[in-house]
Amino acid sequence: EIQRVRLEAVVLQIKQLAGNTMDPRSFGFIEPPPRERLEAAVMNLKQTGALAPSSEGPESLTPLGRLLSLLPVEIHVGKLLVLGCLLNCIGPCLSVAALLAVASPLARLSESEQHIKEARRQLTDSIYGGDALTLLSIFETWLRIKAGMGVRKDIDGERERRGEERR
C-alpha cells in the first residue's frame, strides 16, 4: 500500500501524529518505501514550506504543514487552497484546484482536423501563460458562454491584435 500513495501525505501524517522529534526516514514501516522516494518527499515538503529544516535533528512541521496534514488533497493543491483563503481569492483557487484534480480537457482533443489543432494552439499560446491559468481561463470563458455573456473582451482583443477573426 505504501508504494501506491504519495509519500508527502505520509510524512506529514507521521510528523503530525508522532511529533517533530520523529524522523520519517527512521519510521518503522512494515514495507518501507524506497529511500530515494522518501528523501524526495521530504525535500518536496521543505520546498513547499510544510517542513522547516533543523540543524539539531529531523525537520519540524510548520504551521502550513499542520494545515496541509489535515487536508485530503495533494500538498501543492492544499497550499493553493490555504493561500487562496489568506489572500481572499478562494473562488479562482477552488476552480484551479478542481481543474488540477482531473485530466486536462486539452489532453483528450483529437488532432486529426486542422481547426482542432489551431484551436488548441490558441489556447496553449494564450495571453495567460501557464497551464493552470489557461485552464482557469477556459473554465471562466465556458461559464460566460453558458450564461449567454460571450467571450471576454481581452481574449477577443488579443485575437484581433494578432489579426485573427472571431468565431
Side-chain angles (χ1 to χ4, degrees):
E1 185 69 23
I2 196 71
Q3 306 298 331
R4 296 186 308 139
V5 298
R6 295 199 52 92
L7 288 180
E8 288 88 352
V10 174
V11 170
L12 285 177
Q13 291 299 312
I14 290 170
K15 288 295 202 177
Q16 181 72 7
L17 297 173
N20 282 328
T21 58
M22 170 56 84
D23 188 347
R25 296 170 194 90
S26 61
F27 185 76
F29 293 103
I30 294 172
E31 291 182 36
R35 183 94 172 145
E36 54 276 355
R37 277 193 62 221
L38 193 55
E39 286 296 331
V42 170
M43 180 59 69
N44 199 7
L45 288 167
K46 284 192 225 177
Q47 291 173 344
T48 305
L51 289 179
S54 175
S55 60
E56 301 165 356
E59 298 82 3
S60 59
L61 203 56
T62 64
L64 175 63
R66 284 190 233 302
L67 285 172
L68 294 177
S69 72
L70 301 172
L71 298 175
V73 295
E74 189 178 322
I75 61 165
H76 296 97
V77 173
K79 184 174 181 179
L80 172 69
L81 295 173
V82 169
L83 291 176
C85 289
L86 291 173
L87 299 173
N88 198 25
C89 60
I90 193 64
C93 289
L94 281 171
S95 296
V96 169
L99 289 165
L100 292 175
V102 297
S104 171
L106 300 176
R108 295 187 189 150
L109 292 176
S110 167
E111 291 194 17
S112 60
E113 296 182 39
Q114 185 60 33
H115 71 279
I116 294 175
K117 287 181 185 178
E118 181 60 25
R120 177 183 278 178
R121 188 193 60 74
Q122 288 176 5
L123 290 172
T124 57
D125 293 346
S126 73
I127 58 175
Y128 296 102
D131 290 338
L133 295 178
T134 300
L135 289 174
L136 180 61
S137 171
I138 292 168
F139 177 68
E140 288 177 344
T141 301
W142 175 78
L143 287 177
R144 283 186 181 82
I145 291 170
K146 185 178 172 189
M149 297 166 58
V151 295
R152 288 178 28 186
K153 291 189 186 297
D154 60 340
I155 292 173
D156 290 339
E158 177 66 15
R159 286 184 183 150
E160 288 171 10
R161 187 180 65 76
R162 287 193 263 165
E164 301 169 8
E165 68 179 58
R166 288 167 52 182
R167 297 174 210 246

